[in-house]
Amino acid sequence: QIHAVAIRSGAAPSVSIGNALITMYSKAGSIDNARRVFNLICWYRDTVSWTSMIIALAQHGLGEEAIELFEKMLTFGINPDHITYVGVLCACTHVGLVEKGWNYYNMMQNIHKIEPTPSHYASMIDLLGRAGLLQEAQDFIKTMPIEPDVIAWGSLLASCEVHKNPELAKFAAERLLLIEPNNSGALSILANVYSACGKREEAAKIRKSMKHKGVKKDQGFSWLQIRSEVHVFGVEDALHPQRDAIFAMMAKIWVEIKKMGFVPETAAVLHDLDEEVKEQILRHHSEKLAIAFGLMNTPENTTLRIMKNLQVCNDCHTAVKFISKLVGREIIVRDATRFHRFKNGTCSCRDYW
């Protein structure tokens, strides 16, 4: 509708409107439409246009395409700015191109004379940490000329969760909490790392401390828009008018994807419960409920677009791959860090996220 208004008003061909449309389509999960708009305005050789498209591709897990576009940008003599390099480093991070990331980080400073900002430092920490180079990430932090901020420590902490490093996780969490003492995300991640590494007593101490301080874990929500109405779901959502039908649909899907080889990650449920109860908890995660509702209320063969306020969990990520194959539909999930495009049993992130 916004694009149509721009066309009718005669504003669509302008670079500034085109840049806004690229960002809009990207954030709505429609990378193909973002590409179409970019192809109409790229010949203006505007830095913002190329940067917007590079960031869009990076956020959708299309890191190689983003890097290819950046190289083409340089070939055309278009000067990148500090935001362009944030997008490029993000692209390297999402596909694990550590060496390229280092090369671009150095090029930014030596060729284009751009001083790193906190965003560039955090991107490099994320790049190294996700690749499992936790010591290198810690060493990089030590060489930074500025004090690491919450995002920098949070990037290192998130990597510690992925690679199950409780010692470094504790160090990163402590530094982060010095800046934000009641950061619930840091405490929750540290507790999860301890639990995943079998340190249940330490995990219990952190959760008890959170409860004592009144620090509440951020609640996960997922939502999707059907026609003009937005439908929001929480874990074990009991308020939606189609609750029983949604639960029944998800139970049916659960049986089918298990037949296809899906194995629920019940170890991720950090409570001493029966396996059946753990599976129910996993089955009723907000994004799964949103997907079940979407499948019930949208035409076959259409794309489902789900938004989530937190990062998608491993179990949901694996389950949605199976669901996309089961129902033969593309499912796009935008979580707190990126887009995941599920189709035919695979994800655009290639399980590197």
Side-chain angles (χ1 to χ4, degrees):
Q1 290 175 338
I2 294 171
H3 196 172
V5 169
I7 292 171
R8 287 197 298 270
S9 68
S14 78
V15 174
S16 58
I17 295 296
N19 294 342
L21 288 171
I22 290 170
T23 301
M24 179 195 74
Y25 277 127
S26 172
K27 288 184 175 180
S30 184
I31 193 66
D32 292 335
N33 282 328
R35 278 198 196 94
R36 291 188 185 100
V37 174
F38 174 74
N39 289 336
L40 293 174
I41 65 171
C42 63
W43 306 111
Y44 290 104
R45 301 193 178 185
D46 175 67
T47 297
V48 176
S49 303
W50 287 71
T51 296
S52 298
M53 195 64 223
I54 288 168
I55 291 173
L57 291 167
Q59 289 178 334
H60 281 262
L62 303 170
E64 289 93 345
E65 188 177 343
I67 291 166
E68 184 180 332
L69 189 63
F70 177 66
E71 293 289 351
K72 189 180 292 185
M73 177 183 183
L74 298 179
T75 301
F76 286 163
I78 306 168
N79 288 324
D81 60 17
H82 69 284
I83 300 174
T84 312
Y85 271 105
V86 171
V88 171
L89 293 176
C90 178
C92 293
T93 296
H94 285 320
V95 289
L97 299 176
V98 176
E99 187 175 347
K100 270 189 178 295
W102 270 119
N103 290 340
Y104 289 132
Y105 178 74
N106 292 325
M107 180 193 293
M108 175 183 73
Q109 298 172 82
N110 300 330
I111 305 298
H112 293 112
K113 307 304 179 184
I114 298 172
E115 287 297 315
T117 68
S119 295
H120 298 116
Y121 292 129
S123 295
M124 287 301 297
I125 295 166
D126 201 17
L127 171 67
L128 296 168
R130 286 189 197 221
L133 303 173
L134 297 177
Q135 185 58 54
E136 287 87 339
Q138 189 176 9
D139 293 342
F140 179 83
I141 289 174
K142 292 176 182 177
T143 66
M144 287 168 51
I146 63 172
E147 283 296 316
D149 59 10
V150 169
I151 297 174
W153 288 121
S155 296
L156 182 60
L157 180 57
S159 297
C160 291
E161 182 179 24
V162 172
H163 298 287
K164 296 181 175 56
N165 187 317
E167 291 78 18
L168 188 54
K170 181 175 183 291
F171 174 78
E174 286 174 347
R175 295 303 183 276
L176 193 157
L177 292 168
L178 286 175
I179 305 171
E180 285 188 6
N182 291 325
N183 187 301
S184 62
L187 293 166
S188 296
I189 290 174
L190 183 56
N192 290 344
V193 173
Y194 280 145
S195 293
C197 296
K199 297 177 177 288
R200 303 220 172 242
E201 287 186 11
E202 287 90 337
K205 286 178 184 177
I206 291 173
R207 294 196 175 95
K208 185 177 180 180
S209 173
M210 289 175 67
K211 188 176 181 180
H212 177 72
K213 294 177 181 177
V215 178
K216 294 184 178 179
K217 180 181 177 182
D218 291 335
Q219 186 174 353
F221 290 100
S222 298
W223 62 95
L224 74 164
Q225 181 174 337
I226 297 179
R227 291 178 284 277
S228 59
E229 189 173 356
V230 176
H231 299 264
V232 182
F233 298 87
V235 178
E236 293 282 356
D237 200 304
L239 300 177
H240 198 280
Q242 295 187 42
R243 171 186 178 275
D244 292 341
I246 294 168
F247 282 9
M249 177 65 152
M250 195 59 240
K252 180 180 177 182
I253 290 171
W254 198 255
V255 170
E256 294 302 317
I257 62 175
K258 285 178 73 175
K259 289 179 183 177
M260 295 167 64
F262 169 66
V263 179
E265 195 171 322
T266 53
V269 180
L270 306 175
H271 302 286
D272 187 16
L273 301 168
D274 292 338
E275 287 295 300
E276 186 176 339
V277 177
K278 288 185 176 183
E279 282 199 29
Q280 180 179 311
I281 291 172
L282 293 173
R283 196 165 63 236
H284 292 169
H285 276 191
S286 64
E287 53 268 63
K288 293 190 183 92
L289 298 180
I291 288 169
F293 174 80
L295 293 173
M296 291 163 48
N297 291 277
T298 57
E300 292 184 7
N301 302 318
T302 57
T303 299
L304 281 183
R305 289 183 171 86
I306 311 297
M307 307 296 176
K308 184 176 174 64
N309 66 326
L310 303 178
Q311 187 171 351
V312 65
C313 74
N314 288 332
D315 184 81
C316 284
H317 189 269
T318 304
V320 180
K321 286 195 295 183
F322 278 93
I323 294 171
S324 70
K325 188 172 185 178
L326 174 69
V327 301
R329 293 173 68 170
E330 183 180 40
I331 302 172
I332 298 173
V333 178
R334 190 196 80 188
D335 69 7
T337 58
R338 64 179 295 164
F339 283 88
H340 295 268
R341 298 167 64 89
F342 300 92
K343 192 172 183 179
N344 297 325
T346 63
C347 179
S348 59
C349 75
R350 305 173 194 170
D351 297 336
Y352 186 89
W353 51 284

